[in-house]
Amino acid sequence: MDYILMNKNTPLCRLAIDMENYVISDILEVYNSKAFPVGVDFIAGKPQKKSLAKWWAGRAIPGSRIGAASFERRYAVTMASLPFKNYGLSLTDQYWLNPVGAESREWKDINFFHNEFSGALGQAFFDESYISEDRNFFMSPDSTSDGMLPKKWVRDEATGKLYLYKVGSGPFEQEPFNELIASKIFALLDTVKFVDYHVVHDSGRYFSTCENFITDSTELVTAANMRMTQSPLIVNAANEYNYLLKCCEAYNIPNVKASLDVMLAVDYIICNTDRHYGNFGFIRNMDTLQFTGVAPVYDNGTSLWNKDKAADIGHKFEARAFAYNQDDAVKLITHFELLDLTKLKNIDEIIVDVLSKNENLPMQRVYDVAAAVKKQVAKLQKIKDSSVK
């Protein structure tokens, strides 16, 4: 079956799709090479099928999503098939698949920024006994949402604003509270843009919720895609960090180093173990195809030792994107002038106040996490002091 890959109203290329395996089988014709997803490989002005297919595969819900196996059994689908049931539409960009022929559609009639969508698909990941009879079940931005944790998009009926709801995991369901704590830390430092998270309790579960920071005229380009734009030289943490900066410089993205430094500093404070290249990124304007800046810092939930044993709290400091531990990652920071850590003097009290509202958490664990973060701030202050001598 043939589709036109679109970027909003702009046709990019005609694709042949293998509908048995739900993969791109061929690129038949190219119409516009400038508005392609960032990171898709081009040779002699032509997009490479393997590269485009890899980008498309990343559009599907990952198989590691909690509840994915149960969902596939209940609805007799695969995760790879879901983007073909909602035209590949998302709420983090404007790419979509337009069927060739009589079923051809227009962006204005089907995009999720302005049109209704089903909330049933996202709900089906939260409740493994849930069976929906919604005839528009698959017409949902939840079909193209990334990440391991179940999540759903919700439109506020009063304001029309779009919000992402993400549930916690494990016995503590701590991630939503970690997001709130990270938001409070970024707000106190007041130096970079960040996603403002809140915690809601619904149907016996805790959720983090935040407003969508992407509009119908912007797209999120993850660092993972940005890293595909240059020939990499990756030897160690510093080289990998500088390589990403080099990629961003090629697109004239402003304030990258400063923004990433503050993100790394907060990751150090809360011991974020999941700052991979897919959960930070950059904003591109789809009308001009120019980058406007670094995306607000988001996805801070896998932190504060939420998956660790009590004995490891304050003693385990794993990292992911640029180094395997926080002590190496923090060495990459140079913009210490953006870190007034005296503003975090009461961080332990803030953490106790937030985490104590999680009925799944033992209070001793709450106090241990608060004390550990207080020590991280003190350690970071020493690193800052030594850097300016």
Side-chain angles (χ1 to χ4, degrees):
M1 185 171 182
D2 289 4
Y3 288 88
I4 306 297
L5 176 62
M6 306 284 293
N7 190 340
K8 202 170 181 176
N9 296 309
T10 302
L12 302 182
C13 63
R14 182 167 176 151
L15 301 172
I17 303 295
D18 175 355
M19 295 303 289
E20 290 187 6
N21 299 299
Y22 298 102
V23 295
I24 296 172
S25 59
D26 200 5
I27 300 175
L28 304 174
E29 192 174 0
V30 178
Y31 308 117
N32 183 318
S33 61
K34 294 182 179 180
F36 265 74
V38 172
V40 171
D41 200 13
F42 276 72
I43 296 179
K46 295 182 179 180
Q48 298 303 289
K49 186 183 76 170
K50 183 178 180 180
S51 178
L52 186 61
K54 182 179 179 180
W55 168 82
W56 178 259
R59 208 161 182 76
I61 294 173
S64 60
R65 170 73 59 84
I66 295 173
S70 171
F71 182 96
E72 288 178 331
R73 288 194 301 270
R74 277 177 288 152
Y75 294 97
V77 296
T78 64
M79 294 297 104
S81 72
L82 294 184
F84 292 95
K85 298 179 182 294
N86 77 340
Y87 302 97
L89 290 162
S90 169
L91 281 172
T92 57
D93 59 37
Q94 292 74 39
Y95 301 105
W96 61 290
L97 289 179
N98 196 0
V100 173
E103 296 183 12
S104 177
R105 306 298 300 272
E106 292 190 23
W107 162 262
K108 66 181 179 63
D109 297 326
I110 61 173
N111 79 83
F112 296 134
F113 290 94
H114 303 296
N115 295 286
E116 292 184 3
F117 54 81
S118 172
L121 189 146
Q123 185 63 34
F125 279 93
F126 298 128
D127 182 355
E128 295 193 9
S129 64
Y130 180 78
I131 298 293
S132 173
E133 296 182 358
D134 184 352
R135 64 186 181 87
N136 293 318
F137 178 78
F138 292 107
M139 195 59 183
S140 167
D142 301 327
S143 294
T144 49
S145 62
D146 197 9
M148 180 189 73
L149 293 177
K151 59 192 67 172
K152 63 179 178 180
W153 285 100
V154 175
R155 191 189 307 277
D156 184 285
E157 294 183 1
T159 64
K161 294 180 178 180
L162 294 159
Y163 292 87
L164 183 65
Y165 281 66
K166 184 163 57 174
V167 77
S169 67
F172 300 133
E173 294 188 9
Q174 189 179 326
E175 291 95 337
F177 297 87
N178 294 348
E179 297 282 18
L180 175 57
I181 289 167
S183 293
K184 289 179 177 292
I185 292 173
F186 280 112
L188 287 169
L189 294 176
D190 192 25
T191 51
V192 298
K193 294 180 180 180
F194 64 94
V195 173
D196 188 18
Y197 286 93
H198 299 274
V199 177
V200 298
H201 191 259
D202 182 48
S203 302
R205 303 290 301 275
Y206 291 112
F207 296 83
S208 66
T209 178
C210 63
E211 185 178 350
N212 191 13
F213 57 85
I214 296 299
T215 71
D216 64 353
S217 295
T218 61
E219 70 165 315
L220 172 65
V221 177
T222 66
N225 286 336
M226 181 60 67
R227 291 171 77 246
M228 302 298 293
T229 62
Q230 304 287 325
S231 298
L233 173 61
I234 301 173
V235 179
N236 55 39
N239 278 354
E240 198 160 347
Y241 190 60
N242 290 328
Y243 165 66
L244 179 61
L245 294 177
K246 175 185 175 183
C247 294
C248 295
E249 287 172 4
Y251 286 95
N252 298 313
I253 306 176
N255 303 317
V256 175
K257 180 71 167 70
S259 297
L260 294 187
D261 278 5
V262 175
M263 180 187 76
L264 287 175
V266 176
D267 284 349
Y268 181 84
I269 290 169
I270 65 176
C271 196
N272 187 341
T273 62
D274 196 38
R275 182 64 70 195
H276 57 78
Y277 295 108
N279 66 13
F280 67 100
F282 313 92
I283 304 296
R284 184 166 74 149
N285 183 294
M286 295 317 302
D287 296 324
T288 65
L289 298 180
Q290 301 297 310
F291 281 85
T292 59
V294 180
V297 184
Y298 62 96
D299 209 346
N300 317 288
T302 308
S303 56
L304 298 176
W305 301 274
N306 67 301
K307 294 184 177 181
D308 294 314
K309 296 181 293 185
D312 290 329
I313 295 173
H315 301 285
K316 194 174 179 182
F317 305 102
E318 295 178 358
R320 187 168 177 187
F322 304 111
Y324 293 114
N325 65 77
Q326 295 292 342
D327 289 331
D328 285 336
V330 78
K331 294 175 183 177
L332 302 171
I333 298 173
T334 58
H335 285 281
F336 284 101
E337 77 279 1
L338 299 176
L339 302 172
D340 183 356
L341 299 176
T342 63
K343 294 179 178 180
L344 304 181
K345 62 182 179 180
N346 297 322
I347 188 60
D348 52 338
E349 297 175 14
I350 292 171
I351 289 174
V352 170
D353 178 62
V354 172
L355 290 186
S356 63
K357 294 179 173 63
N358 183 343
E359 296 180 356
N360 299 320
L361 278 173
M363 281 307 300
Q364 186 56 55
R365 189 177 181 94
V366 172
Y367 293 131
D368 290 345
V369 169
V373 171
K374 187 84 169 180
K375 289 182 180 179
Q376 287 297 98
V377 173
K379 286 165 57 180
L380 187 58
Q381 183 65 60
K382 289 182 178 180
I383 295 171
K384 176 183 177 181
D385 292 342
S386 65
S387 72
V388 297
K389 287 182 180 180

